[in-house]
């Protein structure tokens, strides 16, 4: 039986800490941090995530701006919007919610964001700094996982960490952070992906598994070592007629099976997802502080 890594409670704690900081800022007569989110199109999941990010800003006292653009917007018009945000002195940071429509080149868009406002940490300048262990904006999902490990005081030094998925948003940065010198850190990391052979043999050797694959219930009990730490990044919408929304959110980990073997495990929902939002807010505070200096 495992201990639940409660991302919701931990995220609430971080938001409370930020709320106190915002109050001190406002009491000093200064404007609060300001985050903007750009959403292109009407993808249901993206609408939910962006809505949640904006509501969290309001809750802790940040200013927030949601910019909704049609899904047939041209790349040039989107780049114009980004340029305006880059040059707005009263805006500390912004994100462009992914995925973008097929006719837009994601790389061109992400590289157009001013690195000083790139609170997602996706710009090559920030990704490079992160890889070198320099202070910068760290992508919110892997940052949230590191923070969860830290706040639960889980020691992963010298342990074998297996990351499933090599996306630029989660898997790749995760593999770098887990191996970085520090606490949490110092893990021996294996980054696995769609071409990996004998994945189950590798995950069975893992002291910590981070699954960022997007395949519901993929990681089963037979793939996990007794006492492993299991981090589930999956948030797939699975149709479910019995649910009022018509779907349920399912993680990569077969939770009911794996919780019997793991030492610690993140639930879905209520694990990594809320931590992602908390760390985006934290990155925005960092952007604000730099902007004030
Ligand atoms: N889509 C899925 N995760 C993310 C994220 O962390 N940031 C942005 N901008 N888009 C996403």
């Amino acid at each position: 039986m495992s201990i639940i890594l409660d991302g919701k409670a931990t995220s609430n704690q971080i938001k409370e800490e930020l709320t106190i900081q915002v109050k001190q800022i406002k009491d000093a007569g200064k404007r609060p941090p300001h985050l903007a989110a750009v959403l292109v199109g009407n993808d249901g999941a993206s609408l939910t995530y962006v809505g949640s990010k904006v509501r969290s800003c309001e809750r802790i006292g940040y200013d927030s701006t949601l910019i909704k653009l049609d899904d047939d917007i041209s790349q040039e018009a989107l780049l114009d919007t980004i340029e305006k945000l880059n040059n707005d002195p009263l805006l500390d940071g912004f994100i462009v919610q992914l995925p973008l429509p097929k006719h837009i080149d994601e790389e061109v868009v992400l590289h157009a964001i001013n690195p000083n406002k790139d609170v997602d940490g996706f710009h090559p300048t920030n990704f490079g700094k992160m890889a070198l262990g320099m202070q910068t904006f760290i992508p919110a999902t892997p940052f949230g996982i590191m923070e969860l490990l830290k706040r639960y005081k889980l020691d992963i030094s010298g342990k074998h960490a297996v990351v499933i998925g090599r996306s630029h948003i989660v898997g790749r940065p995760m593999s770098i952070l887990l191996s970085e010198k520090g606490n949490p850190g110092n893990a021996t990391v294996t980054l696995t992906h769609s071409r990996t052979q004998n994945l189950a043999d590798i995950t069975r050797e893992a002291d910590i598994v981070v699954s960022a694959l997007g395949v519901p219930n993929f990681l089963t009990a037979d793939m996990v070592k007794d006492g492993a730490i299991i981090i589930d990044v999956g948030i797939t919408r699975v149709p479910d007629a019995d649910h009022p929304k018509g779907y349920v959110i399912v993680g990569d980990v077969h939770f009911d099976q794996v919780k019997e073997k793991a030492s610690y495990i993140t639930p879905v929902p209520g694990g990594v997802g809320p931590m992602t939002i908390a760390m985006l807010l934290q990155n925005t505070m960092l952007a604000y502080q730099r902007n004030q200096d």
Side-chain angles (χ1 to χ4, degrees):
M1 207 48 198
S2 48
I3 294 170
I4 302 288
L5 295 169
D6 189 339
K8 191 155 177 29
T10 309
S11 147
N12 282 335
Q13 201 177 326
I14 294 166
K15 285 184 200 165
E16 273 167 35
E17 292 162 10
L18 289 170
T19 305
I20 293 166
Q21 281 190 58
V22 174
K23 188 174 178 310
Q24 286 166 349
I25 288 167
K26 288 182 177 173
D27 286 351
K30 293 193 217 147
R31 71 166 180 87
H34 181 189
L35 174 72
V38 179
L39 177 64
V40 183
N42 288 306
D43 176 68
S46 291
L47 274 166
T48 307
Y49 303 145
V50 170
S52 191
K53 289 171 184 177
V54 169
R55 271 195 311 281
S56 293
C57 281
E58 286 161 4
R59 191 179 131 196
I60 68 167
Y62 284 10
D63 288 337
S64 64
T65 304
L66 172 58
I67 300 164
K68 278 171 124 179
L69 302 170
D70 290 339
D71 63 358
D72 61 355
I73 189 175
S74 68
Q75 184 164 302
E76 286 64 37
L78 176 57
L79 291 172
D80 282 347
T81 302
I82 288 172
E83 201 46 32
K84 287 200 187 85
L85 299 175
N86 280 343
N87 294 320
D88 179 350
L90 297 178
L91 181 67
D92 303 295
F94 66 97
I95 64 157
V96 177
Q97 187 66 23
L98 304 177
L100 290 168
K102 295 251 179 309
H103 67 280
I104 293 176
D105 186 334
E106 212 160 89
E107 203 170 284
V108 170
V109 169
L110 294 180
H111 293 192
I113 297 174
N114 177 348
N116 294 324
K117 294 193 176 189
D118 169 39
V119 284
D120 257 333
F122 294 165
H123 190 282
T125 298
N126 290 322
F127 201 96
K129 284 185 175 177
M130 184 263 311
L132 293 169
M134 298 163 71
Q135 198 204 40
T136 187
F137 304 117
I138 296 171
T141 300
F143 192 14
I145 293 167
M146 297 303 281
E147 191 66 22
L148 203 53
L149 296 173
K150 187 172 171 181
R151 292 195 182 224
Y152 275 86
K153 298 188 169 56
L154 299 186
D155 186 9
I156 60 164
S157 181
K159 302 281 173 64
H160 184 201
V162 172
V163 179
I164 307 176
R166 59 181 159 183
S167 75
H168 293 170
I169 296 180
V170 185
R172 178 84 54 183
M174 189 79 251
S175 69
I176 294 168
L177 294 172
L178 288 166
S179 67
E180 200 130 88
K181 267 189 190 159
N183 186 18
N186 293 326
T188 304
V189 179
T190 303
L191 179 57
T192 68
H193 46 77
S194 51
R195 304 289 174 93
T196 296
Q197 296 180 354
N198 307 323
L199 178 64
D201 290 343
I202 299 169
T203 56
R204 269 195 289 271
E205 295 292 318
D207 302 303
I208 167 166
V209 179
V210 179
S211 185
L213 187 66
V215 177
N217 296 319
F218 173 80
L219 197 80
T220 46
D222 59 305
M223 298 173 75
V224 171
K225 180 162 98 174
D226 270 323
I229 299 168
I230 306 294
I231 309 290
D232 190 349
V233 186
I235 36 164
T236 308
R237 288 182 172 201
V238 175
D240 183 343
D242 293 339
H243 200 273
K245 284 184 174 163
Y247 65 85
V248 285
I249 304 284
V250 182
D252 288 356
V253 177
H254 197 304
F255 186 83
D256 289 341
Q257 282 185 10
V258 174
K259 76 174 194 306
E260 302 300 329
K261 275 183 112 173
S263 55
Y264 294 85
I265 188 167
T266 61
V268 175
V272 173
M275 290 302 293
T276 297
I277 295 182
M279 303 324 278
L280 176 66
L281 298 172
Q282 190 133 303
N283 278 341
T284 305
M285 180 60 84
L286 175 63
Y288 172 82
Q289 285 162 342
R290 286 182 176 175
N291 209 6
Q292 297 286 305
D293 289 344

